[in-house]
Amino acid sequence: MEPAILITTLACGMLVSRVGLPPLIGYLVAGFVLFLFGIDESSLPLLEQLAELGVTLLLFAIGLKLNIRSLFKAEVWAGSSLHLMASMLFFIPLLKLLGMLGLEQLTGLELNQLALLAFALSFSSTIFAVKVLEDKGDMQSLYGRVAIGILIMQDIFAVAFLTISKGDVPSVWALALLLLPLAKPLIYRAFDRVGHGELLVLFGLVMALVFGAWLFEAVGLKPDLGALIIGILLAGHAKSSELAKSLFYFKELFLVAFFLTVGLNGLPSFSDIGLATLLVLVVPVKVALFLYLLTHFKLRSRTSLMASFSLGNYSEFGLIVAAVATSKGWLPAQWMVIIAVALSISFLFAAPLNASSSRLYQKLQGRLKKLEKFPPHPEDRQIPVGNPRFLILGMGRIGSGAYDELKSKFDGEILGVEHKQDLVDYHKEHGRHVVQGDASDTDFWEKLEYAPNLELVLLAMPHHIGNQFAVEQLHRLNYKGKMSAIVRYAEDAQSLRETGVHCVYNIYEAAGAGFVDHVVNDLLPDSHVARSNAEEMRKRG
């Protein structure tokens, strides 16, 4: 049946993608379709193992991109903790009320069982949020970092529960894991020597699955927690981003297996679907609660709304909590299916909601602004730009190279804008004038101070959508100067020219031309002179 599984999964993923929804919803549907044909999770042990690998690699990848200091920010640790408590206080009475109204799945459940269900329903999906943020290129935006930080805290809560639920006291050797940071220099030395090919991928798998998952499981701790912590340990290395990209397709492929296993748990009854639908109808309460908490931590209404939309769903970790609870007899087995259906439906609604989040904010902006607190969050304030002659949006390798070249050849102030705070700090240490900001954020342009002498804007962001959005915002602000942008594909160059960008450079073509210029200048400095002299001799002859 392996060919049928692959074909069904591919077909469902493609059909869902054609209507603008994430393929992961198609994988969930594929699981239910396969179950209809008599395939269940117990008949595919390999699929279950791949699903576990997918979740493990997901947490490892999150750790690679995580700045541990972000977890200690009030909006993250306090926001996630308060939301968890408030969610449980909301869900426990709600579930009790539904049981009193006669819903058979809730009739007769004890308070501790209701609390366990409320705990499972309080989580938001890490997989969904990461996929949406990656697709939008917003992983490093402020709202993206806040959402991921909250999800990490929720995952820690879930992993703590799963570790306790094992009923086993961790081995005394678990204390030895506290010495892992001491091995960091040795691990980093190996990281330096693995190169950039298949050895890098193998190194990542060994770190995630052996030094992370296997080692933590061996001492009685949750393997997923080990993958996350090892990822965080490697996050400070210069090649951590490259490693995350190298493992990207492994993670994506294994996560397909995870979503399939959700659907393979069984078909719900009509009453199960009805209850799951009721649970999805209260997801806006989760979103509103996140919005209220984040604005009270002095984040702007847009930042709060975008983060809240990313968290507006049910979680695969809630599903895992339910799976553990049903396997131990703490909850009726049907709750595994109910939460799976609620998870699927919440994804179905959350996907278009996140896709249209910017437009929704524009419509609700007036009302949402009333929620904002003063003074605003330090990372969410007005952006001082000075009086630059040149503005560079995106201070990665291309943007920083352009900054240095402009500085060496022209007078006038140069301003760089970068959304990654660690890069901003790096550039400031090296004497560059760079501010933190996300040029793909509408409110960034509203916070940007007026620059009357701006002559040239260089769009050096890695994503075409971000550069295109920046062009639209510059036109909206009636900017009359020159614009230049980088692209990777010819069709992107054409679309930017049509929007008014004066110069467009394909980074691959430009790299070849720059390479030749460098070679000629360094190795053949007199070639032009020699050719001129030869031409002059021929004329005289």
Side-chain angles (χ1 to χ4, degrees):
M1 289 298 293
E2 287 80 2
I5 293 172
L6 291 174
I7 291 171
T8 302
T9 305
L10 176 63
C12 290
M14 291 179 66
L15 286 172
V16 167
S17 297
R18 289 296 298 267
V19 297
L21 296 174
L24 59 89
I25 296 176
Y27 308 146
L28 288 168
V29 173
F32 289 122
V33 171
L34 291 169
F35 186 84
L36 277 173
F37 287 98
I39 301 173
D40 59 25
E41 191 176 359
S42 61
S43 64
L44 297 169
L46 177 60
L47 193 67
E48 186 176 356
Q49 293 174 10
L50 293 177
E52 292 175 356
L53 286 176
V55 175
T56 299
L57 288 179
L58 172 70
L59 289 172
F60 180 67
I62 291 172
L64 286 174
K65 300 176 181 180
L66 180 67
N67 180 354
I68 192 65
R69 291 178 296 178
S70 66
L71 298 183
F72 296 100
K73 295 180 178 180
E75 62 270 18
V76 173
W77 70 265
S80 57
S81 301
L82 290 171
H83 191 275
L84 173 63
M85 291 185 287
S87 294
M88 292 188 67
L89 290 174
F90 170 75
F91 276 113
I92 291 174
L94 175 66
L95 296 173
K96 184 66 175 178
L97 176 61
L98 293 176
M100 293 172 63
L101 292 175
L103 270 72
E104 58 180 357
Q105 301 93 332
L106 292 162
T107 303
L109 292 186
E110 301 293 335
L111 181 62
N112 60 336
Q113 293 176 303
L114 295 176
L116 190 54
L117 284 173
F119 182 68
L121 294 171
S122 68
F123 296 114
S124 301
S125 173
T126 301
I127 293 176
F128 180 88
V130 170
K131 284 285 294 176
V132 167
L133 290 170
E134 283 180 343
D135 291 344
K136 293 169 68 175
D138 284 350
M139 280 291 289
Q140 293 300 323
S141 66
L142 177 58
Y143 88 85
R145 286 183 280 123
V146 170
I148 292 298
I150 290 173
L151 288 165
I152 293 293
M153 290 299 300
Q154 289 185 347
D155 294 348
I156 291 173
F157 298 150
V159 169
F161 167 80
L162 296 173
T163 302
I164 295 170
S165 69
K166 291 175 66 178
D168 300 326
V169 178
S171 167
V172 67
W173 290 105
L175 296 173
L177 296 176
L178 297 174
L179 301 177
L180 272 177
L182 298 180
K184 189 174 178 178
L186 185 62
I187 295 173
Y188 273 38
R189 189 177 303 172
F191 206 168
D192 290 331
R193 295 183 178 180
V194 294
H196 304 277
E198 69 278 2
L199 275 178
L200 178 64
V201 176
L202 187 59
F203 172 80
L205 292 174
V206 168
M207 295 307 299
L209 305 180
V210 179
F211 287 94
W214 179 84
L215 185 60
F216 274 62
E217 189 173 30
V219 297
L221 295 174
K222 196 73 173 65
D224 297 337
L225 178 63
L228 174 65
I229 290 177
I230 292 297
I232 293 172
L233 190 68
L234 297 177
H237 195 279
K239 289 164 65 176
S240 62
S241 179
E242 182 183 354
L243 177 58
K245 293 176 182 177
S246 299
L247 294 174
F248 177 80
Y249 290 108
F250 283 94
K251 178 194 70 176
E252 296 293 288
L253 185 60
F254 294 154
L255 285 177
V256 172
F258 171 81
F259 289 111
L260 277 176
T261 58
V262 172
L264 290 172
N265 277 290
L267 287 175
S269 64
F270 286 112
S271 61
D272 290 341
I273 294 174
L275 177 54
T277 304
L278 286 175
L279 293 176
V280 172
L281 291 177
V282 300
V283 167
V285 176
K286 292 181 66 173
V287 174
L289 183 56
F290 273 122
L291 179 62
Y292 176 82
L293 288 171
L294 293 177
T295 52
H296 273 68
F297 283 110
K298 299 184 177 181
L299 291 171
R300 287 183 298 116
S301 55
R302 183 185 188 277
T303 304
S304 301
L305 185 71
M306 299 288 280
S308 300
F309 279 167
S310 300
L311 302 168
N313 46 60
Y314 291 117
S315 171
E316 64 283 349
F317 273 100
L319 190 60
I320 294 169
V321 168
V324 171
T326 56
S327 68
K328 291 184 175 292
W330 298 343
L331 287 174
Q334 67 189 129
W335 272 102
M336 180 70 175
V337 175
I338 294 171
I339 294 181
V341 175
L343 171 75
S344 305
I345 299 175
S346 72
F347 284 4
L348 192 65
F349 284 99
L353 185 67
N354 278 272
S356 59
S357 55
S358 294
R359 291 192 297 272
L360 286 172
Y361 172 73
Q362 293 301 320
K363 293 180 179 179
L364 302 173
Q365 185 175 7
R367 297 178 183 177
L368 294 174
K369 287 283 187 181
K370 297 176 182 178
L371 297 174
E372 295 181 354
K373 304 299 178 184
F374 185 84
H377 192 283
E379 295 184 50
D380 232 1
R381 295 177 181 173
Q382 191 81 12
I383 300 174
V385 300
N387 189 22
R389 181 182 178 188
F390 305 106
L391 176 65
I392 303 175
L393 302 177
M395 285 296 291
R397 284 174 291 184
I398 294 175
S400 58
Y403 187 106
D404 294 339
E405 192 71 11
L406 285 171
K407 187 175 181 179
S408 67
K409 293 184 177 180
F410 297 95
D411 296 325
E413 186 178 340
I414 306 170
L415 174 67
V417 176
E418 172 59 46
H419 69 273
K420 297 180 182 178
Q421 188 59 51
D422 54 344
L423 268 182
V424 174
D425 296 337
Y426 170 82
H427 288 306
K428 287 182 177 179
E429 289 174 3
H430 288 75
R432 300 186 184 99
H433 181 204
V434 178
V435 297
Q436 195 275 334
D438 181 5
S440 62
D441 178 347
T442 305
D443 280 356
F444 162 80
W445 297 96
E446 296 181 2
K447 293 192 299 179
L448 205 63
E449 294 180 351
Y450 179 63
N453 296 316
L454 185 61
E455 296 180 14
L456 174 65
V457 175
L458 284 77
L459 306 168
M461 291 181 287
H463 300 284
H464 170 67
I465 293 176
N467 288 329
Q468 195 168 38
F469 178 81
V471 173
E472 294 171 0
Q473 296 304 308
L474 287 165
H475 286 314
R476 185 178 66 82
L477 295 174
N478 295 318
Y479 169 68
K480 303 300 183 183
K482 302 294 184 181
M483 290 182 285
S484 179
I486 61 168
V487 296
R488 297 181 182 181
Y489 307 106
E491 59 268 27
D492 293 343
Q494 181 61 31
S495 67
L496 284 175
R497 288 192 182 98
E498 290 174 356
T499 59
V501 175
H502 302 88
C503 297
V504 180
Y505 294 92
N506 186 302
I507 57 176
Y508 299 119
E509 295 175 358
F515 176 54
V516 171
D517 289 342
H518 178 75
V519 170
V520 169
N521 289 333
D522 282 10
L523 302 183
L524 304 171
D526 299 325
S527 60
H528 178 70
V529 175
R531 287 195 299 271
S532 298
N533 289 340
E535 183 67 25
E536 184 65 22
M537 290 290 289
R538 283 195 297 272
K539 288 180 179 178
R540 290 181 180 181

